[in-house]
Amino acid sequence: MNLRQAVPIAVVSALIGALAGGAYVARRDRADVAPARTAAPVATAAHANDHAAAASPYPEYLSLGGAAPVSFESLRRRAQRDPKFLQDLLQRYGNETAADARGELLALLHAVGGDDVLRYALSRAASTRAEDERVGLDLLGGYSLERAEVRETLLAKLRAGGEPQREAELIRMLTPAAMPDEDAAPVVERLGALARDADPEVRGEAVAQLAQWAEPAQAEEALHRALLDPAATVRSKAIVAVSGSHARSERLKDALLAIAADPAGSAADRGAAAMALQDFRLNRAEYAIWKRAQARADAESGEGG
């Protein structure tokens, strides 16, 4: 029986949404599916502006450490047409120490984008000084991995190794994007190697990303290994990764059933495993295990609320 139509557990759904970090663009799905054509709704200019403001991920005004707020959009437009102003912003971001001002400048520079910002980001990311590298990596976070320079910079740093926390952060920056298989292959290869890393944080992040980059058959082995990992953090990442991937196999199903039925496991993992099983076909005995796991998760979420 396919359980996709079963009512999801609200608390577990929220957990998976938080851990998964939002939707991603799968390379083949995006290439194969044409965008739907819909008629544009008739709207007043004021309504359109309100809608654009509500949809924008950026703030409406910036203070940049000053007393008088300035329109974000006016600053963005000026930076795009005035190279000197843009260079001043880049230098200021590179030297800024106040957290609020740094956050505003970073949002502005991400919105400006372009080759000038990218060149500056790559030059700072190449530095051996941790502070300079941090500036460069933060700016690179605004660019898609479709850009070969961005992709190769991150991969080179991961191949060089380093502190586990830094490696985990670099892995999180490998957000999937539409690109040819030949360009994606080095990313998949590196993530596959990191999924066997000695550090559990690195393993968990690598498995989570690998499930989005690799073909289901490629990801299945790493996901199964991660579901059985001795580290709870890796198992938790793997459960969410299975839900977000198209990888399906009998051994993945068996591992999820074992987690869902394990009274010694965390309530969050049991509930997440029960939800992941909605994508698998279950026989009568497996369905009974799933049903009990779902009922327990519902009861535990009610106690938590």
Side-chain angles (χ1 to χ4, degrees):
M1 174 178 181
N2 192 302
L3 301 175
R4 168 49 60 192
Q5 301 301 320
V7 178
I9 305 162
V11 171
V12 177
S13 179
L15 169 70
I16 289 180
L19 291 176
Y24 64 90
V25 180
R27 290 179 283 115
R28 289 168 186 75
D29 291 348
R30 187 170 181 175
D32 295 343
V33 181
R37 297 183 179 274
T38 56
V42 177
T44 64
H47 182 271
N49 289 337
D50 289 345
H51 177 73
S56 173
Y58 302 113
E60 190 173 355
Y61 294 97
L62 297 182
S63 65
L64 298 180
V70 182
S71 163
F72 183 96
E73 184 60 21
S74 67
L75 289 170
R76 184 189 67 81
R77 288 198 300 266
R78 181 181 174 188
Q80 287 180 326
R81 68 173 182 265
D82 184 344
K84 184 179 183 305
F85 180 62
L86 175 57
Q87 290 304 315
D88 288 343
L89 287 175
L90 288 168
Q91 290 299 323
R92 179 170 178 181
Y93 177 68
N95 298 323
E96 185 61 65
T97 57
D100 289 349
R102 278 181 63 82
E104 289 185 335
L105 284 164
L106 182 60
L108 178 58
L109 291 167
H110 278 175
V112 172
D115 290 340
D116 288 339
V117 176
L118 179 57
R119 278 192 293 271
Y120 180 84
L122 290 169
S123 68
R124 296 298 289 264
S127 173
T128 56
R129 295 181 68 247
E131 298 85 349
D132 288 341
E133 184 190 51
R134 174 76 276 145
V135 168
L137 290 176
D138 285 345
L139 288 169
L140 286 180
Y143 290 87
S144 168
L145 263 70
E146 288 180 82
R147 302 290 298 252
E149 315 97 301
V150 179
R151 191 171 65 249
E152 290 166 5
T153 294
L154 297 178
L155 285 175
K157 289 183 178 295
L158 282 169
R159 292 187 188 106
E163 292 295 321
Q165 186 175 356
R166 175 177 171 275
E167 284 197 293
E169 180 183 357
L170 289 168
I171 293 168
R172 286 192 289 270
M173 292 182 68
L174 296 177
T175 305
M179 67 182 70
D181 281 343
E182 295 88 341
D183 294 338
V187 182
V188 174
E189 179 184 3
R190 190 63 201 148
L191 288 172
L194 290 167
R196 294 179 176 272
D197 194 86
D199 185 83
E201 183 180 8
V202 172
R203 289 200 304 277
E205 294 296 342
V207 166
Q209 289 287 40
L210 182 64
Q212 298 182 62
W213 279 92
E215 293 284 357
Q218 286 179 289
E220 191 274 344
E221 181 180 354
L223 285 168
H224 180 254
R225 186 171 61 250
L227 287 172
L228 304 179
D229 198 281
T233 55
V234 179
R235 295 196 300 272
S236 296
K237 287 281 187 181
I239 296 167
V240 175
V242 171
S243 290
S245 77
H246 295 292
R248 300 291 177 265
S249 69
E250 286 298 310
R251 63 178 184 171
L252 286 181
K253 179 174 66 174
D254 290 344
L256 288 170
L257 284 166
I259 293 170
D262 183 7
S266 74
D269 283 353
R270 287 197 302 271
M275 187 171 184
L277 284 163
Q278 294 183 46
D279 284 327
F280 290 80
R281 300 191 70 85
L282 306 179
N283 61 33
R284 195 180 300 279
E286 293 164 343
Y287 176 81
I289 295 172
W290 175 84
K291 193 71 173 175
R292 288 193 297 272
Q294 185 187 38
R296 181 169 185 169
D298 287 339
E300 288 170 338
S301 65
E303 291 171 5

